[in-house]
Amino acid sequence: MPQPSVFDMTPETFAAICEANDLPKFLGKQVLDWVYAKGVTDPQAMSNLSKANREKLAEVIDFEQGVLLAEQVATDGTRKLLLGWPDGRTPVRDAGAGIALPIALPIANAEGVPEIPTSRQTECVMIPNPERRTACVSSQIGCPVGCAFCASGIGGLDGNLTTGRIVEQVWRLGQIERSESPEGRVSHVVFMGMGEPLANLGNVTDAIRIINAPWGLGVSARRITISTVGLPAAIRKLCDFELPVTLALSLHAPNDDLRRTIIPWAEYSTVTELLDACDEWFQKTGREITLEYILLGGFNDQPEHAKELAGLAKRLRANVNLIRFNEVKGITFSRPATDDVLHFQKILRDRNVNTHIRASRGRDIAAACGQLRHEKRTVS
Ligand code: SF4
C-alpha cells in the first residue's frame, strides 16, 4: 500500500497516523506548519522534530514532490509547469543523516531530465496580475471529455489526480510566488487545467478543504472556482458541499446541436438539463454561476449565437466570460476575428448580460489547457 503524500494530510488524518504508529499527536500540527507556513517539505529540515520522529514519519508518509519536467515563463509573466508524477517509490534513499527517505524513482535520460511518460504528466499555471495571483490547476491526467478544441482531451483520460497531487500544484505555484516576494501567495484557484473536475469530485473537494484551510493554503473558498463542462448530477451533489466555492459552466455553444459537435459529453445532457441543475445550484447556494464561452472563429462566434447565449445567461442571471481560442497544433479551429469578438460582447451587453472578454494570457508559452503536454508528446 503506497504511503499517503504529505499533501494528502489533514490534522485529523495526521493524528490517526500518529496514533497508529506510536507517534505524538502534536507532530501533525508541526509538520503541516512546516509545509504550509514555512514552505518546507524535507523532514530533515524540520528542526523542531526529534531525529527518531523524523525517521518514523519518513517511513509512513511520502514527502517527495512530483518532478518538474518543464517550465515556461511568458512575456506577460504567466508561468506554466509540466509536472511528472512518478508511481514507483521505495524507502531506500539515505538522506545523509541516517534517515531512510522515500524517494521517487524517475529514470534519468541523457540530459538528466527524468523520463516520465505523458500518461503521468499534468500541467499547472500561475497567472499573475496586479490584484490577484491565480493558480490554474489540473484535476485529472488527460481528460475523458475530449472537447474538439482542447489539447487536454487528445488521447483521453490517463487517470484521476489524488487529493495530494491537486494540493501540491497550488503549493508549488505558491512557492514560486513566495520566492519572488516573502508576502507572495496564491490568492485565487481555478480548476481549469487538465480534466473535468466533477468527474473526480471526491478528490477535488478534499483538495479544496486543504487549499482553503487556515492551517493549509488559506485561499478563500469564494476565490476557488470549479469549471465544469457540465454533469447535472454532480452539480447537484456539489450544492451540498459545505464550502462556498464558485461554479463556472463551460457552455461553449448556445444550443444542443452546436454543442454536440464540439463537446462529446453533450450527448449525455442537454443544455436545458444543465441549466436546470444550475438553477438548483443558485436556489440552494444563493451563488450565481459564470458561463464560460470559448469563441471559435466562424463556428460559434456569430450574432445569432450571441443572441441565443444572452437568453440562457439572463435565465440564469449569469455573467459570461468570453475566451478567445488559442491555436493548438493539430486542432483545426481558428482564433476569432477581433471585430467578431467585440460585436459578440456588444450583443450580450445590449441585452444587459454582464460580459467580459478574458485576456489571453501566456500565448507565447502554450498556456492553454493541456497544450504543453500535447506539444511535448507530438515532438517526442
Ligand atoms: S475543455 Fe475541459 S472538459 Fe473539455 S477536453 Fe479540455 S479539459 Fe476536458
Side-chain angles (χ1 to χ4, degrees):
M1 179 111 161
Q3 303 143 308
S5 158
V6 70
F7 294 105
D8 283 313
M9 305 303 289
T10 66
E12 294 74 28
T13 51
F14 235 125
I17 284 191
C18 287
E19 195 173 353
N21 290 281
D22 294 325
L23 287 163
K25 276 190 181 164
F26 60 79
L27 224 49
K29 190 172 176 304
Q30 287 180 320
V31 172
L32 293 173
D33 187 61
W34 277 105
V35 173
Y36 294 108
K38 302 189 179 86
V40 173
T41 55
D42 180 354
Q44 284 187 87
M46 298 180 184
S47 52
N48 56 353
L49 273 61
S50 71
K51 182 171 177 282
N53 285 344
R54 280 183 279 150
E55 284 178 9
K56 186 71 186 170
L57 271 179
E59 284 171 19
V60 294
I61 292 181
D62 174 11
F63 285 91
E64 285 295 318
Q65 299 172 25
V67 179
L68 180 62
L69 298 173
E71 181 171 9
Q72 296 180 328
V73 185
T75 47
D76 64 9
T78 300
R79 186 185 293 255
K80 173 175 268 201
L81 310 183
L82 180 66
L83 300 175
W85 307 105
D87 62 356
R89 291 174 185 273
T90 181
V92 293
R93 184 179 69 163
D94 187 297
I99 302 170
L101 289 178
I103 181 174
L105 281 181
I107 308 154
N109 65 15
E111 287 82 41
V113 178
E115 285 178 0
I116 294 179
T118 50
S119 59
R120 297 207 306 271
Q121 297 178 9
T122 55
E123 301 175 357
C124 55
V125 183
M126 172 56 80
I127 307 161
N129 77 26
E131 298 87 41
R132 53 173 70 183
R133 322 293 288 177
T134 303
C136 176
V137 297
S138 298
S139 54
Q140 297 183 301
I141 306 181
C143 183
V145 183
C147 299
F149 50 83
C150 174
S152 292
I154 298 171
L157 177 72
D158 287 308
N160 282 334
L161 285 176
T162 60
T163 297
R165 287 176 172 175
I166 296 170
V167 173
E168 184 183 333
Q169 293 171 72
V170 184
W171 180 86
R172 286 179 85 127
L173 294 169
Q175 291 308 301
I176 293 170
E177 288 303 296
R178 203 177 185 143
S179 66
E180 290 174 0
S181 135
E183 300 305 312
R185 61 192 294 273
V186 170
S187 64
H188 292 69
V189 175
V190 293
F191 283 84
M192 293 184 185
M194 297 169 64
E196 164 50 59
L198 296 190
N200 186 17
L201 188 60
N203 288 338
V204 165
T205 48
D206 284 351
I208 288 174
R209 290 187 186 95
I210 297 173
I211 293 166
N212 168 252
W215 53 263
L217 289 158
V219 179
S220 158
R222 287 181 192 277
R223 293 178 169 183
I224 300 173
T225 300
I226 296 180
S227 177
T228 175
V229 83
L231 303 171
I235 291 173
R236 291 194 167 92
K237 208 166 170 193
L238 192 64
C239 291
D240 298 326
F241 184 44
E242 70 273 17
L243 294 175
V245 293
T246 298
L247 182 65
L249 175 64
S250 297
L251 198 61
H252 303 324
N255 59 60
D256 290 325
D257 287 344
L258 204 61
R259 204 164 187 265
R260 284 181 188 136
T261 61
I262 51 171
I263 303 177
W265 281 18
E267 283 296 328
Y268 307 127
S269 38
T270 62
V271 170
T272 303
E273 286 164 348
L274 285 176
L275 263 53
D276 287 347
C278 291
D279 274 339
E280 199 168 317
W281 166 270
F282 180 71
Q283 282 156 18
K284 283 194 171 166
T285 68
R287 296 193 296 282
E288 290 166 1
I289 71 152
T290 300
L291 294 179
E292 305 279 339
Y293 194 98
I294 190 162
L295 288 163
L296 305 164
F299 177 78
N300 64 352
D301 61 346
Q302 298 305 299
E304 65 269 24
H305 303 131
K307 290 173 195 161
E308 215 174 342
L309 178 61
L312 305 179
K314 281 172 82 77
R315 172 184 153 182
L316 287 178
R317 297 196 291 177
N319 296 327
V320 173
N321 271 343
L322 300 176
I323 306 146
R324 277 170 289 190
F325 175 67
N326 270 337
E327 307 83 354
V328 179
K329 231 182 261 173
I331 291 181
T332 50
F333 288 109
S334 56
R335 195 164 164 85
T338 301
D339 284 351
D340 289 343
V341 174
L342 294 174
H343 189 49
F344 198 96
Q345 181 188 38
K346 183 173 182 313
I347 291 171
L348 285 153
R349 287 189 166 170
D350 285 349
R351 287 160 175 76
N352 298 318
V353 176
N354 195 10
T355 308
H356 298 282
I357 299 168
R358 202 194 292 156
S360 289
R361 301 298 304 266
R363 281 193 76 201
D364 50 331
I365 60 158
C369 150
Q371 206 169 332
L372 177 57
R373 176 179 177 259
H374 171 59
E375 289 186 3
K376 289 260 167 206
R377 179 161 41 192
T378 51
V379 295
S380 61

